[in-house]
Amino acid sequence: MINYEFIIGLEVHMQINTKSKVFCECSTQFGSEPNSNTCVICTSQPGTIPILNKKAVEAVIKTGLALNFNINKESTFARKQYFYPDSPKNYQITQANPPLCSKGKLSIVVEGKEKVINITRIHLEEDAGKLVHEIGSRKLDYSLIDLNRAGVGLMELVTEPEISSPEEAFEFLSELKSIVEYLGTSECNMEEGKMRCDVNVSIRPIEQKEYGIRVEIKNINSLSGVRDAIAYEIERQKEVLDSGGKLIQETRLWKAEEKMTKSMRSKEGALDYRYFPEPDLVPFELSDSFIEGLRKEIPELPKARRTRFIKDYGLTEYAASYLTSTKAIADYYEKALDYLEDKKVSSQLLANWISTELNAKFNTSKLSILESPVSCQNLAKLVSLILNGTISGKIAKTVFDEMFKNSSSPEKIIKEKELAQISDEVIIVKICEEAIFESSKAVAEFKSGKEKAIGAIIGLVMKKSKGQANPQLVNKILIEKLKK
Amino acid sequence: MDEILKFKANDLRAKICSGEVKSLDIIKSCVTRIKRTDLKIGAFLKLNEAKSLEQATYSDKKIKNDERSGFLEGIPIAIKDNIMIKGESMTSASKYLENYVSPYDATVIEKLKKSGAIFLGRTNMDEFAMGGSTETSAYQKTANPWNIKYIPGGSSGGSAAAVSAGMVPFALGSDTGGSVRQPASFCGIVGYKPSYGLISRYGVCALASSFDQIGILSRSVKDSALLASAIVGKDYRDPVCEPKDWIDFVSYIDNDIEKLKAIKIGVPKQLFNYKIDAEILENFDKAVNKLKFSGAEIIEIDIQAYKYVPALYKVIMCAEVSANIATFDGIRYGYRSRNARNLDDEYTKSRTESLGYEVKKRILFGTYVLSAKNYYRCYHQAQKVRTLLINQITDAYKRCDFIFSPTTLQMPVEFGEVLQEECDIFLIAANLAGLPGITVPFGFTNSGMPVGMHFMGSRFSDVRLFQIASAFEKISGFDVNKYPEL
């Protein structure tokens, strides 16, 4: 058996989060009526000229700064030429050399080990439109073109071929996504196509110096898809080489349903894009103060925030990672924590509620944390009600369900549904006496030494009290009574 | 010919404002003249008769009621058919755009609409402005009004012929490699190309974006200055357009020949490396002597890179053409072949059937010079030589104020004959370096064809260029009131 080394590089396209397109004033709103977000510029009418959107440049630079890039103060645009109906000019305005950002890096943690991945470049370019081949389930015998997306700003990030496993690629993208979401420079939604990732994979025997044949994989539309596609492709390439076959340089498509890659085209007739400098846009020069101004706008990034959460709030690594995975969740957590008195005691419990109960609700309801029906203040209240013994953890879950359903406060729900924990001894003694009276068999067993039999009696007490009796008190009182 | 047509645009402006002349009468005269002569000339692709008459009536009413009138209120103007006017056709003289209707106004059109100018009609041109004879138009030939056997020059040949024949006082053209100044010279009128970045290109069907400028064709330097004042100004829609304040060029023009005193005129010695038409050379010598006599100092300058001008222009222009014309693919608007079976077929057939020979030739050449294999050898090299040329010209301006030459090295040829490659090199140099240039008619050959002289200024010296050209116009002795017999 030959041992192989895997060489993986990523090309990530992220739609820049600006209100208008990168070279015209059209809206970038996703899901609008086809061709409603278009104008004479982005449909390439004769005589039109692109106008650069400054906000898009700012977004790329901010992203570059957050990833430790060098910002090239003098940058130009280029025309990349190819004919395709979704590209109205039949060339794409992009950047050749120098790009806006060169030489960045991102550190990731895989299986407890830290690794730095170098990133070659980030450049600014425009997106293409979309071809439509079917309406609903009806296949068309012609194609329609929707140019709403044509001219939306994209940043393309290209890594060095330094990723060596599907897990590393997954981690890299998760970390990248999280940073970019923190910056707000892209929504990075892979399902809406706002983040797209092409993967280059090659393998070589460990002792071999030169690179193997590189295969590009396109059409991946989820983070786990990237991981699965790489894992599949590595196995495929191994099988070809182990069976004495030869790999060819080609582009393959990831088929998510079949969980396999399929050949799309070989690279031999590689396209000549005939790049040349874009004459309609003047080369731009960025001042140091402009760049430094953007640096000041960069918020605390996920890694720093994670470390701070562990240090300041005593959270577990897992909880801190989950909470800082998006800025919205971390902000929610810190806002909720602000409402709580004793942060040292409440921080972990609050974290648990967000990462388990709230997270589960989002998964089933498809809502995001920004749309959460449970406000931070209400979740904080719920946690303090648990901590002060007003309700048990179990009741809290019932209360929480109501809170998520009706956005109401926990106090209101507890009052309306009479869910407050009963800690009044007189009442509990009375219920316990009733339960003992009705459980003669269990009582007899207990008295004969079978201590476990008390469970049945506790169960009856909880049933009679609709789960509201304070479990510690019930336990204590029953033992007192039974041992008399 | 109607006397009213002999007034310059500046005079018409004054006379319309004072009520002495009615816009309606001007338009009527223009229309009559066009109807009588344009069958022979073929300058116009489209005449807006009804709409122009309507607008003229409106302008006259405004003036009569003392309402605020525009900068060019009631004055007719012809527009080259590659400039966008909302709701009107814009063919660029190509079959591809035969049924195209402009969805917006070019910036210059927006300004002219505000100024109250009347768009009399659209003039013929070479297809997508590719050519120097107006013969590549997909629609018609345009003849030189001074001798209808000859080409009017191009690509703005329709605009030049219309002004020359007295059909309209002035016209807009576009100048990528001499396309305003060469036909102006061939037709015996003034042709002005502004500094690159002085006038917005927004709404002009692009040929080669780094050279394209809107230009003006008129019967006098002052009329060019008048129209320039109406269309100049910063425009956020054209990123190469410089953020300069509005300039009233006309106010600087006083026909003062004193301006020629103590001015340094550079004559490139490379001029004499070329085969120049004998009568052009004769006229040039006369022009130089007249300048000297008026007090100008003539200095020989040395710009060796002139010899590269034809080649480097061809490489960069065709490269940009190949990308700019790519949008004409039969998909979203314009000509679409009915015989296509699939996507590639649709591209190929739509373009094959609708684009002319010259256009295809330039697309192919541009594609060749930009291909990965040839990029450094051709395109990149040409850009380096362009920088060299610009540096040499900049150096020359340390010794002189203007560079002076005959506008063309050759007289117009008969239809079907080909001009030599070097004919326009002194014009193309201005496009390559982004400089302003103006041609002023100077004299006639023995066979009665006009000869023009060309001044090229440094970047954004347009005001002084107008002043010098206007002074030269005065000393030239050229009879601007002489019209071709039609």
Side-chain angles (χ1 to χ4, degrees), chain B residues 126-322:
Chain B
D126 282 298
E127 182 176 6
F128 293 120
M130 297 182 203
S133 67
T134 312
E135 286 170 292
T136 71
S137 166
Y139 300 104
Q140 66 196 37
K141 282 202 167 73
T142 300
N144 191 315
W146 293 97
N147 184 339
I148 59 169
K149 280 197 273 181
Y150 291 114
I151 58 163
S155 62
S156 311
S159 288
V163 174
S164 162
M167 300 178 199
V168 64
F170 47 27
L172 284 188
S174 63
D175 191 320
T176 304
S179 273
V180 158
R181 294 160 291 157
Q182 185 252 42
S185 175
F186 280 0
C187 293
I189 56 171
V190 173
Y192 161 64
K193 180 199 90 80
S195 295
Y196 189 70
L198 190 68
I199 288 172
S200 171
R201 299 172 302 140
Y202 183 74
V204 185
C205 189
L207 169 59
S209 318
S210 66
F211 306 138
D212 292 346
Q213 267 293 285
I214 285 181
I216 295 167
L217 303 99
S218 68
R219 301 195 64 86
S220 74
V221 174
K222 200 175 174 185
D223 278 3
S224 273
L226 178 68
L227 187 45
S229 308
I231 60 175
V232 72
K234 56 190 168 195
D235 182 13
Y236 77 96
R237 289 171 297 194
D238 180 359
V240 308
C241 194
E242 296 280 326
K244 290 190 179 296
D245 289 330
W246 181 72
I247 313 164
D248 183 3
F249 292 108
V250 192
S251 68
Y252 290 96
I253 290 178
D254 46 15
N255 288 337
D256 183 3
I257 60 169
E258 293 294 306
K259 290 247 157 46
L260 292 171
K261 272 192 183 148
I263 208 152
K264 289 176 184 165
I265 304 275
V267 173
K269 71 178 195 193
Q270 281 70 24
L271 174 62
F272 306 100
N273 295 344
Y274 299 100
K275 188 171 160 260
I276 310 173
D277 181 282
E279 285 187 281
I280 293 178
L281 197 56
E282 203 178 291
N283 274 287
F284 178 69
D285 288 341
K286 262 191 226 164
V288 167
N289 281 332
K290 283 194 173 178
L291 283 167
K292 271 188 198 160
F293 190 74
S294 307
E297 188 185 340
I298 306 293
I299 293 166
E300 186 187 70
I301 53 166
D302 185 9
I303 300 173
Q304 292 180 3
Y306 267 135
K307 63 171 176 267
Y308 304 121
V309 165
L312 90 91
Y313 173 67
K314 199 166 161 186
V315 169
I316 301 172
M317 178 268 293
C318 288
E320 293 184 12
V321 161
S322 71

Side-chain angles (χ1 to χ4, degrees), chain B residues 9 45 100-101 116 130 136 155 174 199 241 246 255-256 309 327 334 342 369 377 390 399 406 409 471 475:
Chain B
L45 286 174
Y100 184 75
V101 176
M130 297 182 203
T136 71
S155 62
S174 63
I199 288 172
C241 194
W246 181 72
N255 288 337
D256 183 3
V309 165
T327 196
N342 56 42
V369 299
R377 193 167 63 86
I390 292 171
R399 299 183 52 227
L409 303 185
I475 62 165

Side-chain angles (χ1 to χ4, degrees), chain A residues 65 196 201 426:
Chain A
L65 289 171
R196 281 164 258 158
V201 183
V426 180

Side-chain angles (χ1 to χ4, degrees), chain B residues 43-46 78-82 121-125 156-159 162 171-172:
Chain B
F44 282 89
L45 286 174
K46 192 177 153 230
I79 310 286
K80 188 176 181 178
D81 208 24
N82 63 349
R122 307 304 295 259
T123 53
N124 196 21
M125 55 186 280
S156 311
S159 288
L172 284 188

Side-chain angles (χ1 to χ4, degrees), chain A residues 193-206:
Chain A
K194 288 181 176 170
M195 182 180 192
R196 281 164 258 158
C197 181
D198 298 339
V199 185
N200 285 302
V201 183
S202 70
I203 67 172
R204 65 178 170 196
I206 279 184

Side-chain angles (χ1 to χ4, degrees), chain A residues 44-47 79 88 90 272 280, chain B residues 100 104 203 326-327 329 332-333 372:
Chain A
S44 186
Q45 301 297 315
R79 292 182 180 179
N90 287 315
D272 182 347
D280 278 330
Chain B
Y100 184 75
Y104 70 102
T327 196
D329 56 4
R332 294 165 315 287
Y333 55 80

Side-chain angles (χ1 to χ4, degrees), chain A residues 117-320:
Chain A
I117 307 290
N118 287 298
I119 314 171
T120 320
R121 59 187 280 154
I122 309 178
H123 68 250
L124 175 57
E125 62 182 29
E126 59 178 336
D127 208 344
K130 246 187 346 205
L131 292 189
V132 179
H133 305 286
E134 54 212 79
I135 296 178
S137 58
R138 188 163 63 90
K139 286 249 183 223
L140 301 173
D141 55 1
Y142 49 86
S143 299
L144 296 168
I145 305 172
D146 178 3
L147 294 177
N148 280 350
R149 211 180 61 184
V152 171
L154 286 180
M155 42 189 167
E156 179 177 341
L157 174 150
V158 182
T159 73
E160 291 292 315
E162 296 177 348
I163 295 168
S164 28
S165 70
E167 290 70 31
E168 283 183 21
F170 183 85
E171 271 314 308
F172 178 89
L173 286 174
S174 310
E175 191 68 26
L176 174 67
K177 191 173 162 185
S178 155
I179 290 172
V180 172
E181 274 170 353
Y182 266 66
L183 296 168
T185 54
S186 170
E187 289 174 24
C188 286
N189 184 331
M190 279 188 100
E191 289 71 33
E192 286 184 7
K194 288 181 176 170
M195 182 180 192
R196 281 164 258 158
C197 181
D198 298 339
V199 185
N200 285 302
V201 183
S202 70
I203 67 172
R204 65 178 170 196
I206 279 184
E207 61 280 2
Q208 186 179 308
K209 283 222 171 91
E210 54 281 4
Y211 287 120
I213 300 291
R214 188 167 53 110
V215 169
E216 187 182 15
I217 313 169
K218 286 182 178 286
N219 194 39
I220 312 176
N221 50 20
S222 69
L223 280 187
S224 53
V226 172
R227 184 173 50 198
D228 297 347
I230 296 172
Y232 173 86
E233 186 57 24
I234 286 172
E235 285 310 313
R236 186 189 72 83
Q237 294 189 13
K238 270 202 233 168
E239 266 176 42
V240 172
L241 294 183
D242 285 343
S243 62
K246 268 200 173 150
L247 291 164
I248 52 164
Q249 195 181 343
E250 61 179 341
T251 301
R252 299 179 70 87
L253 292 182
W254 172 242
K255 302 281 179 185
E257 312 81 49
E258 301 157 63
K259 288 213 174 284
M260 63 187 298
T261 64
K262 281 190 175 164
S263 183
M264 180 174 94
R265 61 165 184 252
S266 91
K267 280 261 169 175
E268 280 174 20
L271 288 166
D272 182 347
Y273 291 115
R274 306 192 310 281
Y275 280 92
F276 75 102
E278 166 57 88
D280 278 330
L281 291 162
V282 281
F284 54 89
E285 275 178 49
L286 305 167
S287 67
D288 286 328
S289 64
F290 177 74
I291 295 170
E292 287 318 303
L294 291 172
R295 198 188 295 277
K296 287 196 190 97
E297 288 176 24
I298 293 175
E300 183 185 27
L301 293 173
K303 197 177 162 193
R305 205 166 191 184
R306 199 151 56 222
T307 314
R308 182 167 63 82
F309 276 21
I310 295 169
K311 190 168 153 265
D312 291 6
Y313 305 139
L315 296 183
T316 61
E317 177 90 37
Y318 172 83

